[in-house]
Amino acid sequence: MSHPETWHETLHDHFGQYFTVDKVLYRETTGQQDLVIFENAALGRVMALDGVVQTTERDEFIYHEMMAHVPLIAHGAAKKVLIIGGGDGGMLREVSRHPGVEQITMVEIDAGVVTFCKQYLPRHNAGAFDDPRFTLVIADGVDFVCQSSDKFDVIISDCTDPIGPGESLFTSDFYQGCARCLNESGIFVAQNGVCFLQQDEAVNSHRKLGHYFSDVSFYQAAVPTYYGGIMTFAWASQNPALRQLDAGTLTARIDQIGLTCRYYNAAIHNGSFALPQYLLNALSASR
Ligand code: SAM
């Protein structure tokens, strides 16, 4: 029996995950990143950038629901949303499910990601790129938040890992820029890696965010193809109450917009802020 081609993730040394490749749909070095999109029998279409899995058709809903609905339901009245990165369109799809949102701006560094994901991962955006509230800006996210005169209610950093172009989205300049671009009860969230394997990234983000936000923490979800356990999402605002809403309030807001999800619900929302003790210990030790 011929052995199918396999694609090996290169995020971690000494161990990792692989995928059998049934068909390579697209591969290109976009000038910014090495992009590949391929078919896998278990996970559907898989997109990777610079050797790191970004998203798969089968489990993307967990990540996109948690990064969009936790801040938007917690805020309760967001009108202007900024997505940094997110070129595959999955985050845009979930944000656009909030009827109260009036403007969605995406700042993506690599136009190629948008172009190729529109073509090869259509279920990710599900038409959201055509939403009249949507504006695409091709730029480095750190430049945008440091220079924009616009203000937002929620900023979602749907970025790659802190390697290559993604590195600038884990810097103090970026976090200071996000604090500057948020309205008073604004919320910032960011993908911050799998804490069991990338704990330093969470500790560094926590320390840097603490210089610009009075309330900094994480929430979490396990996304199967973000290998190695729970993924932590950075959370930052100027009001601790924004992450301490009771289940009744969350449920009322969810029901009011008729939001039905495959992963997210009010109990998951509140439970996701519970963090493993080893991470809490590392965060308090770094203060
Ligand atoms: N869900 C994925 C994850 O958690 O790893 C991230 C998905 S999305 C594909 C990541 C996006 O961030 C990519 O489209 C990449 O081009 C974009 N990106 C990387 N660095 C960036 C930067 N400095 N400014 C704006 N976008 C950036």
Side-chain angles (χ1 to χ4, degrees), residues 13-180:
D13 300 328
H14 313 302
F15 69 95
Q17 60 182 342
Y18 77 90
F19 301 75
T20 54
V21 177
D22 299 333
K23 186 178 177 191
V24 175
L25 296 171
Y26 196 83
R27 185 194 292 274
E28 152 123 24
T29 298
T30 65
Q32 289 281 358
Q33 300 166 110
D34 175 9
L35 177 146
V36 64
I37 301 177
F38 60 84
E39 293 270 8
N40 171 272
L43 296 156
R45 294 187 175 185
V46 180
M47 190 263 275
L49 288 171
D50 293 339
V52 181
V53 170
Q54 297 297 305
T55 190
T56 82
E57 283 184 320
R58 185 160 176 202
D59 70 357
E60 57 87 6
F61 70 95
I62 302 170
Y63 170 85
H64 292 122
E65 288 179 12
M66 287 302 281
M67 283 272 279
H69 305 315
V70 172
L72 284 169
I73 295 294
H75 186 285
K79 291 185 170 30
K80 296 176 71 175
V81 177
L82 173 62
I83 299 171
I84 304 291
D88 54 81
M91 199 64 68
L92 172 62
R93 179 195 73 221
E94 291 303 312
V95 169
S96 66
R97 297 177 66 193
H98 290 255
V101 170
E102 297 170 356
Q103 176 190 316
I104 311 168
T105 304
M106 175 187 288
V107 180
E108 164 58 60
I109 199 167
D110 191 338
V113 175
V114 177
T115 305
F116 305 126
C117 288
K118 268 184 183 175
Q119 185 173 354
Y120 295 106
L121 292 176
R123 287 201 283 263
H124 272 61
N125 75 82
F129 281 123
D130 300 324
D131 190 310
R133 297 170 290 175
F134 173 63
T135 304
L136 175 63
V137 175
I138 300 301
D140 189 324
V142 65
D143 297 337
F144 182 88
V145 295
C146 289
Q147 294 160 17
S148 174
S149 55
D150 223 343
K151 290 278 190 183
F152 300 91
D153 300 303
V154 169
I155 298 178
I156 301 171
S157 182
D158 177 15
C159 55
T160 47
D161 290 278
I163 43 182
E167 207 164 351
S168 65
L169 304 184
F170 293 82
T171 60
S172 294
D173 284 348
F174 177 65
Y175 296 142
Q176 184 175 28
C178 288
R180 190 180 73 82

Side-chain angles (χ1 to χ4, degrees), residues 255-277:
D255 293 348
Q256 188 192 359
I257 62 172
L259 185 68
T260 53
C261 296
R262 296 168 60 197
Y263 184 85
Y264 175 81
N265 59 44
I268 283 279
H269 181 125
N270 269 335
S272 70
F273 285 95
L275 299 175
Q277 195 57 46

Side-chain angles (χ1 to χ4, degrees), residues 63 66-67 190-192 217-221 231-235:
Y63 170 85
M66 287 302 281
M67 283 272 279
Q191 96 69 13
N192 219 130
S217 188
F218 294 88
Y219 62 109
Q220 50 90 3
M231 168 169 267
T232 35
F233 307 111
W235 170 283

